Amino acid sequence: SAVISQKPSRDICQRGTSLTIQCQVDSQVTMMFWYRQQPGQSLTLIATANQGSEATYESGFVIDKFPISRPNLTFSTLTVSNMSPEDSSIYLCSVEGRTSAYNEQFFGPGTRLTVL
Amino acid sequence: GIQVEQSPPDLILQEGANSTLRCNFSDSVNNLQWFHQNPWGQLINLFYIPSGTKQNGRLSATTVATERYSLLYISSSQTTDSGVYFCAVERSGGTSYGKLTFGQGTILTVHP
């Protein structure tokens, strides 16, 4: 499996500000994924972060609101911009693990964001 | 997109009881995974099971890909099994590689 860390683990922010979340993996991976889990809800894919190219966003998510960087094969950041209380969620990154199942996904511990 | 439905939405058990959670999906899949989300929000991988049957201790899972469903069995449940169980699938097709669609989850509560 992959060892994935995220920073910060949690934060409380004021509306109108931005927060950048970091995801670090212990090995090189081609693709990294960012998910959002709103309170009491399931996980929804925000975007795919590819090294050397722009991130690809899922329907309902836009780059201006969730800019993503992928400077190398072990690291990515997700920024939540101009936050509102509706952005209060757990944000998780995922990568494929080094298992016999080539596309098994593993998740970081998540960043719990509260927007006041 | 692909639809993933889990049942039941909530399940309350006494310690020691057995349970079956179900996941139905609407299209062919390359990947199906079961996760347990603990109270701190961490997603724990339980099974990678796009087809067939696997067992890991008190847990086992079966996926019948041709009929588009998967089952997660929990035997002799313990209070530490409490939490939310998610089924997630990756739809077949090149543009979906690595992208998981999650069901709404089953909230399991095990009482001592």
Side-chain angles (χ1 to χ4, degrees), chain A residues 31 33 35 37 41-43 45 48 56 58 90 92 96 101-109 112, chain B residues 30-31 33 35 37 39-43 45 47-48 86 90 97-105:
Chain A
M31 290 189 286
F33 303 89
Y35 289 79
Q37 185 179 25
Q41 302 297 313
S42 184
L43 282 79
L45 180 64
T48 304
T56 55
E58 299 300 307
I90 301 174
L92 303 99
E96 63 186 28
Y102 72 99
N103 60 343
E104 182 176 6
Q105 296 292 317
F106 290 83
F107 284 78
R112 191 179 296 269
Chain B
N30 288 330
N31 176 10
Q33 293 183 239
F35 297 92
Q37 187 169 41
W40 297 272
Q42 174 77 56
L43 277 176
N45 287 43
F47 292 102
Y48 169 89
F86 287 107
E90 173 193 313
Y97 178 78
K99 300 180 181 181
L100 293 179
T101 299
F102 281 74
Q104 288 304 303

Side-chain angles (χ1 to χ4, degrees), chain B residues 6-88:
Chain B
Q6 290 185 241
S7 60
D10 298 276
L11 187 58
I12 300 174
L13 302 174
Q14 288 296 127
E15 204 167 26
N18 302 329
S19 61
T20 301
L21 283 59
R22 186 177 179 102
C23 173
N24 293 334
F25 46 96
S26 62
D27 205 344
S28 301
V29 298
N30 288 330
N31 176 10
L32 187 147
Q33 293 183 239
W34 284 96
F35 297 92
H36 176 212
Q37 187 169 41
N38 64 24
W40 297 272
Q42 174 77 56
L43 277 176
I44 309 300
N45 287 43
L46 297 178
F47 292 102
Y48 169 89
I49 188 164
S51 64
T53 297
K54 290 185 178 179
Q55 180 157 6
N56 184 5
R58 296 182 296 105
L59 274 60
S60 63
T62 295
T63 297
V64 183
T66 53
E67 297 187 21
R68 297 180 181 169
Y69 74 88
S70 183
L71 302 173
L72 177 68
Y73 306 95
I74 304 174
S75 64
S76 303
S77 59
Q78 302 175 358
T79 56
T80 52
D81 294 333
S82 297
V84 185
Y85 289 80
F86 287 107
C87 167

